[in-house]
Amino acid sequence: ENFCHSQLSSRKFAAVSLPSMTSTDPFEAHSWQIALSLIGVVFSASLAVGSGVGGGSFFLALYILLLGLDSHYAIPLSKATIFGVSIAAFLVNCFRRHPHAKHRPVIDFELTALMQPIVLVGTMVGVLLNILFPNYLVLIPLVLLLGYTTYKTYLKGKTLAAKEHAAIAKEREAAKAREEAEHDKSTLLPQTPPSLQEANSNSSNNTSNGSLSVNLLSADTPEAAQLRAMLREQDSRKFQKMPMLFLGVMWGLFILGVCLLYTIKSIPRCGVAWAFIFVITSLVMIAISFVFGRHAHARTQLKLACDFEFAPGEVQWNARNVITYPAMFFVVGLAASMLGVGGGLLSGPLMLRLGVDPSVSAATSSFMIIFTASASTVQYALLGRVDPLFGFYGGLAGFAGGYAGQILISNYVQRKRKQSILVFLLAGITLFSAIAIITVQGATGELKNTAFHSAQVCAS
């Protein structure tokens, strides 16, 4: 009887215990585990997408802890899911406008075209390092970086929230003052003649505009006005031609290079020809970023020359930051591919540090994730590490959650008129991601694995 009881208890324990976390096939899990993981993807995507984060750390935890996948196979599925989230975010954001400059789209296509080629170079390297390195070599620096990023993003949110509260209080005081003034006029003062009202209005407008704007208008020329109108028209396009052209060329050349690297059997991996294609593809991406950087720099100089009014948070490109900013984003692509995160965990806070508006940062980061996640997914698929059917299910669940979350969170922020909500949400998700990464890596025992896998990198 005791023997039967012990056998029954062990069976019950086995039924509810966590998976082994060494599986390479997501369909080896029970149906309820698969369903629960996809429901978790929908919920996680809706929460993450509003702040411009792909949600990779959420999906990674779900696939490892619920489906029992080995982390080296959970990461590719995470990238496929992130791709679905980013597509949903783009379909919503492409119709939205800049919160402070309604003539501009909320996505900064110029920033994307300059950064994305370098991010893809980091993606290429990150995919290989994911296979080669034991996770502890990147886990500890990444968690420290996420912790520092959380702290700086939180401080940014506090500063922005204080400004928003001050602006709202100022608007309320101004509205109250106008009401009292109108009441005093109607009860105590005689009506001001219309001609005098018009003169006072003109005087008030000139004062509020400031002497600088009056001087600029008086010194204006038809050529400068025409140039400003042309630049404004270019900025107002939903899909800006030059950045989209560069992004299209970049994407086509990158996919061509990746296909040459991983599909032609006559080119042995890690051989001279393979390394040559890898280096050439990387150099082409760097060249595209460099050429567009010169274009962005020239366009900024043109705007400065004609006294163009920059949108709040718009990056003014110069000879220095067209080099330093892309170099920073190389780390974003590297870490995103290596640990299965969408890249928004690092690119979003980085954009905020560069002074980009929170709404623009979230939308642009989501747009950039399309390229990062799809590039990683293609590479992992060519390496045979993505289950096509489950990748489709995960991407579909990510799309559904991302679409719902993007609409709900965007509408809430617009209604409350508080961009700081996005910043605090990003800080919270970044902190949670750092904790989730440590938890998952500890549960899978990856921190104890100190072996390198060079044979797997070069295996055809």
Side-chain angles (χ1 to χ4, degrees):
E1 182 180 351
N2 292 335
F3 175 77
C4 293
H5 179 72
S6 62
Q7 290 294 314
L8 182 61
S9 300
S10 63
R11 287 180 183 178
K12 287 182 179 179
F13 177 76
V16 298
S17 62
L18 287 175
S20 63
M21 303 178 191
T22 59
S23 173
T24 61
D25 183 3
F27 289 106
E28 290 181 355
H30 295 293
S31 298
W32 69 266
Q33 291 171 315
I34 295 175
L36 188 59
S37 67
L38 293 178
I39 292 172
V41 165
V42 173
F43 177 78
S44 302
S46 63
L47 179 64
V49 71
S51 58
V53 176
S57 56
F58 293 92
F59 309 145
L60 194 59
L62 288 170
Y63 291 151
I64 291 177
L65 298 178
L66 283 178
L67 301 183
L69 287 177
D70 179 271
S71 62
H72 289 87
Y73 287 85
I75 286 173
L77 281 180
S78 171
K79 302 303 292 187
T81 307
I82 292 168
F83 179 64
V85 176
S86 61
I87 291 293
F90 173 70
L91 291 179
V92 175
N93 288 328
C94 67
F95 295 102
R96 294 174 56 214
R97 312 303 289 178
H98 194 290
H100 306 296
K102 298 301 181 182
H103 66 284
R104 294 173 60 96
V106 71
I107 298 174
D108 192 331
F109 292 99
E110 193 173 72
L111 179 64
T112 303
L114 181 54
M115 302 301 169
Q116 194 59 55
I118 305 300
V119 173
L120 290 182
V121 176
T123 297
M124 292 177 63
V125 178
V127 167
L128 296 179
L129 294 183
N130 169 261
I131 302 172
L132 173 65
F133 281 176
N135 285 350
Y136 79 91
L137 280 181
V138 291
L139 178 63
I140 295 175
L142 178 65
V143 169
L144 292 176
L145 178 60
L146 289 178
Y148 175 76
T149 300
T150 300
Y151 173 70
K152 299 301 289 186
T153 305
Y154 173 74
L155 292 182
K156 178 80 175 181
K158 282 187 65 176
T159 303
L160 185 59
K163 291 181 180 179
E164 289 171 344
H165 287 309
I168 292 174
K170 189 175 180 180
E171 287 180 4
R172 288 175 179 172
E173 291 177 0
K176 185 177 180 181
R178 283 195 300 269
E179 290 178 0
E180 292 177 352
E182 289 175 0
H183 177 73
D184 291 343
K185 276 186 180 181
S186 60
T187 55
L188 300 176
L189 299 177
Q191 190 71 20
T192 306
S195 58
L196 186 56
Q197 281 184 1
E198 184 177 355
N200 289 339
S201 176
N202 292 336
S203 174
S204 172
N205 289 337
N206 289 339
T207 304
S208 63
N209 288 337
S211 59
L212 179 60
S213 60
V214 174
N215 291 338
L216 289 176
L217 288 173
S218 63
D220 202 5
T221 63
E223 291 80 6
Q226 185 178 4
L227 184 57
R228 285 197 297 270
M230 181 193 70
L231 292 170
R232 182 182 175 87
E233 190 275 331
Q234 291 175 354
D235 285 349
S236 65
R237 293 171 184 167
K238 185 182 295 185
F239 301 107
Q240 297 170 6
K241 291 181 179 179
M242 188 62 70
M244 294 302 287
L245 175 63
F246 271 83
L247 287 171
V249 171
M250 170 208 71
W251 184 236
L253 293 175
F254 180 81
I255 293 299
L256 175 62
V258 168
C259 289
L260 290 175
L261 285 171
Y262 297 109
T263 60
I264 300 179
K265 298 297 183 181
S266 59
I267 301 178
R269 200 175 300 168
C270 299
V272 176
W274 187 90
F276 178 77
I277 296 173
F278 188 94
V279 172
I280 288 298
T281 303
S282 301
L283 291 177
V284 168
M285 294 297 104
I286 294 172
I288 291 174
S289 177
F290 176 77
V291 171
F292 189 83
R294 289 176 60 100
H295 165 78
H297 181 207
R299 201 162 181 273
T300 296
Q301 296 303 311
L302 201 61
K303 287 183 176 182
L304 292 172
C306 68
D307 298 319
F308 186 86
E309 183 179 357
F310 288 89
E314 180 180 357
V315 180
Q316 298 185 27
W317 300 106
N318 54 51
R320 184 168 177 263
N321 61 18
V322 295
I323 302 297
T324 56
Y325 287 5
M328 298 177 189
F329 275 80
F330 171 81
V331 180
V332 172
L334 183 78
S337 291
M338 199 166 180
L339 285 173
V341 297
L345 281 176
L346 299 176
S347 64
L350 182 55
M351 288 184 197
L352 292 177
R353 289 296 303 272
L354 301 180
V356 178
D357 179 86
S359 291
V360 177
S361 170
T364 304
S365 180
S366 296
F367 181 57
M368 291 178 68
I369 291 172
I370 292 178
F371 300 96
T372 308
S374 57
S376 300
T377 302
V378 168
Q379 287 180 267
Y380 282 126
L382 294 175
L383 288 167
R385 288 180 173 261
V386 179
D387 183 287
L389 183 58
F390 199 91
F392 173 76
Y393 289 158
L396 194 62
F399 179 89
Y403 192 85
Q406 187 69 59
I407 292 177
L408 292 175
I409 293 177
S410 297
N411 290 342
Y412 181 77
V413 170
Q414 290 178 4
R415 188 170 66 253
K416 292 294 184 178
R417 295 168 58 197
K418 291 184 177 181
Q419 301 291 321
S420 57
I421 294 174
L422 295 177
V423 183
F424 285 128
L425 181 60
L426 179 58
I429 291 176
T430 305
L431 178 61
F432 175 85
S433 299
I435 297 172
I437 288 173
I438 295 175
T439 303
V440 169
Q441 296 297 327
T444 56
E446 288 289 342
L447 292 177
K448 299 178 181 178
N449 183 7
T450 59
F452 288 78
H453 307 95
S454 57
Q456 294 185 23
V457 174
C458 298
S460 299

